[in-house]
Structures are given as structure tokens and as C-alpha cells.
Amino acid sequence: MRSLRDGAARAIRAADLDLKADLAQEAARRWSERRLSLRSPLDTPVPSRPGRPEKPELIPPQRVPRRALTTLRGRIALLHAIAHIELNAVDLALDIVARFATERVPNSFFDGWMRVAFEEAKHFRLVRNRLRDLGADYGDLPAHDGLWQAAHDTRNDLTARLAVVPLILEARGLDVTPALQEKMRQSGDDASAAVLDIIYEDEKGHVAVGAKWFRFLCAREGKDPARAFQDLVRANFRGPLKAPFNDVARAEAGLTPSFYRSMTASVNI
């Protein structure tokens, strides 16, 4: 890889998921050791869509089946959905690095997002390995493409990307994961719950990275962060923000209720 932007773009482009995770983590390691420049004239172009294997089949979100976690099939379906989310999260973190490598931000911005990319690749591998323990694999079930749509919709605006991806999509994980952890344990699947424990703790840090840099950009532009967030959500996010909210975990990450509480019924559907 010629630079951080090149390494990130190559990882996004990779359709082999083991290779994608390897490239993401190797780029993160080289960048943290300052063995890569941020960009070079010969960088791989940032792809408009990430590389993917033939499976899973991508279908509309409303067609993705839901199953009870009390059954093995239900737990596999949940883990498959989480694996799909984590895979998209790898590409989303890489895309914010590669696509916005010319943005006027400190190098510590890229430090934070490459740590996120490294950890999302770790999460994908953990969940995929757990699926394999249960006799399944990623790709066995259909999935939806809604997460990447958020990247496409905010491809030209870094502040909008930060509002939508970490401060809505990743923050939603903080809301729903504790109940999933508990349900896994109630079903006797402590191994899957332990994987969710790791993801939950890491995701607090990922939301914090988003909140830090969103506030940074708002301060530079002289904008109130909560009001700017609300304006960007109305303009760039499809659908309402869903309660209940994990206010404590969100606040730990720097996302206070002033950002989102008034948005639950005011976002255009």
C-alpha cells in the first residue's frame, strides 16, 4: 500500500472478506507506527461501493426475516445480522479515511478512524467465528444494503457523514445491544453474549470518536453542535430516530440528549 488512503481504498475494494479485514488492520498498524503517509499521487481510487462476495443475497430491509432468540436458528440469524453490520462498519470507517483524506483535519482524526476500522474488522471476525462454531457462516442468510446507503448519501459532506454514521447508526448499537446480551445469556449462549460484550464496549469508543470530530467541525464553523446535528439528520437521514435510548452510554461517548431527544417524532419519514 502506497499510503493510508491507498490502503483504505484497497481494503474497501477487496471482495475477499479475510483479505479485507487483513488489509484494514495492516493499514491501521502501519499508520499508527507512522510507516505510511496520508496520501500519495498514485493512490487507488476510492470505490463507490465496497467489494463483496457473491453471498449473502441483498434484499430490502423489510424482507429480512426475524426469528426468536430462544432457538438456535434465531441466534444464528441475529449473529448473521450483526456480522453484516460489522462488515459494513469496517468499510464505513475505511471510507471516511479514504474519501476525506484531503479534508483540513489533524492527523489524529485518521488515528481515531483507523482504530475504529481495526476494531470493526476484529468484531466481524469474532462474530463470523461464532457463527462457524454454531454450524453456520456469513453469507448463509440474506441481508440488506441500507447501511452503505448512508455512506453514499453523505459522500460529499464530512460533517453529515459524522452525524449519520457514528452518531445515529453506531449509537443505535448502544441502545439495542444490552438487551441482546441479556437474551443471549437467558438462552444459555454465553459465548455469543461474550462476543457482544466486546462489541458493546468498543462501540462506545467509536461513537466517542464521531462525537469528538463532529464537535470539532462545528466549533470550527461556529455552529451549535446539537442544532447542526438536527439539521443534518433532517437533510440526510431516512426515517425517525428510534427510542428507547441508552442515555448513559451515549453520554459517556459525548452524545448528550440535547442532540437527539427532540428528533424522535420530527424527522421526515
Side-chain angles (χ1 to χ4, degrees):
M1 56 188 73
R2 298 182 177 92
S3 69
L4 179 63
R5 180 172 60 181
D6 184 66
R10 287 172 184 268
I12 296 168
R13 189 180 296 275
D16 181 299
L17 301 185
D18 289 326
L19 177 61
K20 182 186 294 289
D22 286 343
L23 288 171
Q25 293 188 323
E26 180 62 18
R29 279 190 288 265
R30 292 193 193 184
W31 174 253
S32 70
E33 295 165 358
R34 295 299 186 255
R35 293 192 288 130
L36 286 176
S37 61
L38 177 58
R39 54 187 182 267
S40 83
L42 300 176
D43 287 342
T44 299
V46 182
S48 60
R49 292 188 58 82
R52 289 287 183 268
E54 292 184 4
K55 293 185 177 182
E57 176 191 4
L58 297 179
I59 61 176
Q62 60 270 22
R63 287 182 51 206
V64 177
R66 297 183 179 183
R67 298 186 176 99
L69 296 185
T70 52
T71 67
L72 175 60
R73 289 181 65 191
R75 295 197 302 278
I76 287 172
L78 173 65
L79 290 168
H80 192 279
I82 293 172
H84 186 66
I85 290 169
E86 298 301 331
L87 174 61
N88 276 275
V90 176
D91 287 315
L92 287 168
L94 294 167
D95 187 82
I96 204 171
V97 168
R99 191 167 302 279
F100 298 103
T102 58
E103 192 79 17
R104 188 167 56 89
V105 291
N107 277 354
S108 53
F109 173 89
F110 302 101
D111 294 345
W113 287 110
M114 288 311 297
R115 177 174 61 81
V116 172
F118 186 98
E119 291 177 348
E120 301 291 17
K122 175 186 73 175
H123 297 168
F124 175 72
R125 284 174 155 153
L126 285 170
V127 180
R128 189 175 195 184
N129 286 340
R130 183 60 191 145
L131 280 170
R132 288 167 170 168
D133 290 343
L134 296 174
D137 199 359
Y138 178 69
D140 288 351
L141 299 172
H144 68 80
D145 201 33
L147 291 172
W148 190 253
Q149 186 65 45
H152 176 79
D153 292 347
T154 57
R155 64 193 182 280
N156 297 318
D157 186 338
L158 176 57
T159 311
R161 173 67 64 86
L162 293 171
V164 171
V165 175
L167 301 190
I168 295 180
L169 300 180
E170 293 220 50
R172 184 62 181 157
L174 300 182
D175 303 332
V176 302
T177 303
L180 298 177
Q181 292 166 296
E182 181 60 25
K183 288 179 180 179
M184 284 292 192
R185 289 194 166 92
Q186 289 175 355
S187 70
D189 193 343
D190 291 340
S192 294
V195 171
L196 296 181
D197 292 345
I198 294 169
I199 292 174
Y200 179 67
E201 291 304 319
D202 286 348
E203 295 295 347
K204 292 179 187 177
H206 301 178
V207 177
V209 171
K212 170 185 175 179
W213 291 109
F214 184 82
R215 291 177 182 277
F216 171 88
L217 293 176
C218 288
R220 191 168 70 186
E221 298 170 9
K223 295 180 179 178
D224 174 77
R227 179 167 295 181
F229 172 79
Q230 293 161 12
D231 290 343
L232 288 164
V233 170
R234 291 187 181 99
N236 295 280
F237 187 67
R238 304 175 183 186
L241 305 190
K242 298 178 181 179
F245 301 110
N246 186 342
D247 290 329
V248 173
R250 284 168 169 253
E252 288 176 3
L255 187 59
T256 57
S258 62
F259 276 70
Y260 55 85
R261 275 290 174 187
S262 65
M263 300 292 291
T264 54
S266 60
V267 179
N268 293 329
I269 300 176

